[in-house]
Amino acid sequence: WGGFGHITVAYIASNFVSSNTASYFQGLLRNGTQDYLAGVATWADSIRYTKWGKFTEPFHFIDAKDSPPDSCGVDLKRDCKEAGCVVSAIHNYTTRLLDAGLRESERLMAAKFIVHFVGDIHQPLHDEDVARGGNGIQVTFDHVAFNLHHVWDTSIPEKMVGGVRKHPFVEAKRWADELTREIKSGKFKSSSHSWLKGADLSDPTSTALAWAREGNAYVCTTVMPQGPDAIRGQELGADYYDSAAPVVEVQIAKAGYRLAAWLDKIASRVN
Ligand code: DCM
Ligand code: DCM
Ligand code: DCM
Ligand code: ZN
Ligand code: ZN
């Protein structure tokens, strides 16, 4: 996701974590405001192109070598590179966050990575190899040229709230509060319980792999239902947007709700 998606995921998570969890992470992140998660949600993107942060570049995605639209699927052995992927990164940084023997600065960094990568794994094109997760597919969105990856990361989420140019944190908080209501008492009330099934702190790899498979499945059904070649050069701002927006919405909601549950599990283990 772009910054707006990540900040929204973080605000949703802050709405659901227990008060113990909030205290723990406000202490670790040295931020006692309601923005303690939102404020670090895009940090991982800010360091990925720096010299020291280059090793984290593959941690934002997993390149599933499936063949949409006929067959979607993630195979950890096949798809997680030696240098790592979003599934191994969630495992690594969850483990490091739980490791009381590490310096606090290392656990702080691990927390910032977790907040970011639990968001990214819910973006369907972060769970797909085709054209580097859609980066190599040129399209237009409301008649402006973008690549397909950017459309899903940024154009669709921002269009859903009518644009975020002026105050991204304010807009993200507003959207997060709306999705929080949908989870608590609205259209996601009945399904949200099932979103937490299978989340197991003693097996972060299997937990994250299930999240990646769910995101990846949308590549076949919604991102490119007629395959990559049928998308190239298309205008995606109208009918395509109408089918994609509900998927973006549910994936952002899930990411925030799952991040809260994951942070709760971590905080109750370390406390
Ligand atoms: N890792 C890293 N930098 C290091 C050591 C490890 O980025 N100095 C990454 C690579 C793996 C993950 O962390 O994806 C797990 O590493 P390890 O095998 O050290 O547990
Ligand atoms: N590192 C990481 N994952 C690991 C091990 C290390 O991301 N499993 C990163 C974070 C540390 C840096 O590598 O700041 C150096 O780690 P070390 O001091 O263990 O070499
Ligand atoms: N990305 C991805 N899969 C890839 C390569 C990149 O999901 N195989 C993501 C990471 C960024 C975006 O696409 O969110 C743009 O990446 P880059 O700036 O590396 O082109
Ligand atoms: Zn992306
Ligand atoms: Zn990212």
Side-chain angles (χ1 to χ4, degrees), residues 1-265:
W1 307 111
F4 177 62
H6 282 290
I7 295 165
T8 304
V9 167
Y11 275 132
I12 295 169
S14 334
N15 283 342
F16 283 103
V17 290
S18 76
S19 56
N20 280 339
T21 303
S23 304
Y24 175 72
F25 284 99
Q26 284 177 330
L28 184 62
L29 297 166
R30 288 184 173 68
N31 180 343
T33 74
Q34 67 167 2
D35 303 337
Y36 64 109
L37 299 179
V40 300
T42 62
W43 173 82
D45 277 333
S46 72
I47 57 107
R48 59 187 294 206
Y49 301 113
T50 66
K51 196 172 165 204
W52 83 264
K54 192 168 169 50
F55 73 97
T56 65
E57 227 201 303
F59 299 173
H60 296 255
F61 51 83
I62 181 164
D63 280 340
K65 291 179 175 48
D66 53 1
S67 44
D70 304 319
S71 151
C72 272
V74 183
D75 178 325
L76 192 62
K77 279 237 164 63
R78 179 192 63 187
D79 301 327
C80 193
K81 297 185 172 82
E82 183 120 38
C85 67
V86 68
V87 174
S88 65
I90 288 173
H91 183 108
N92 179 43
Y93 292 111
T94 297
T95 305
R96 289 171 74 81
L97 201 35
L98 291 168
D99 186 347
L102 283 182
R103 282 192 305 275
E104 195 179 39
S105 61
E106 291 294 336
R107 285 184 282 111
L108 166 66
M109 197 163 76
K112 296 194 278 190
F113 280 129
I114 290 293
V115 171
H116 186 88
F117 295 144
V118 172
D120 270 344
I121 201 171
H122 286 80
Q123 207 282 51
L125 282 167
H126 280 241
D127 306 310
E128 177 55 53
D129 179 61
V130 164
R132 288 178 297 111
N135 279 288
I137 298 178
Q138 297 302 317
V139 297
T140 64
F141 189 84
D142 290 332
H143 308 287
V144 183
F146 297 103
N147 71 62
L148 181 65
H149 190 95
H150 184 276
V151 166
W152 277 80
D153 265 356
T154 302
S155 308
I156 295 171
E158 294 189 357
K159 180 169 177 164
M160 290 183 71
V161 301
V164 305
R165 229 177 300 276
K166 280 217 176 106
H167 303 290
F169 279 75
V170 174
E171 292 300 331
K173 180 78 172 81
R174 199 200 314 275
W175 195 27
D177 289 348
E178 185 186 322
L179 292 176
T180 296
R181 281 192 299 276
E182 296 291 359
I183 294 168
K184 284 186 173 163
S185 56
K187 65 182 166 196
F188 299 139
K189 184 176 196 278
S190 58
S191 48
S192 56
H193 184 72
S194 74
W195 293 351
L196 303 183
K197 272 199 302 201
D200 179 2
L201 195 59
S202 68
D203 193 351
T205 294
S206 299
T207 302
L209 185 57
W211 297 341
R213 285 181 169 144
E214 220 179 81
N216 165 273
Y218 285 117
V219 175
C220 281
T221 60
T222 311
V223 178
M224 43 184 81
Q226 262 83 54
D229 293 333
I231 288 280
R232 281 177 216 281
Q234 297 297 306
E235 159 57 41
L236 307 182
D239 293 354
Y240 184 94
Y241 170 81
D242 290 340
S243 77
V247 172
V248 166
E249 185 181 47
V250 75
Q251 288 299 95
I252 294 279
K254 267 184 203 166
Y257 195 57
R258 285 170 169 165
L259 175 60
W262 200 244
L263 298 180
D264 275 347
K265 287 175 197 288

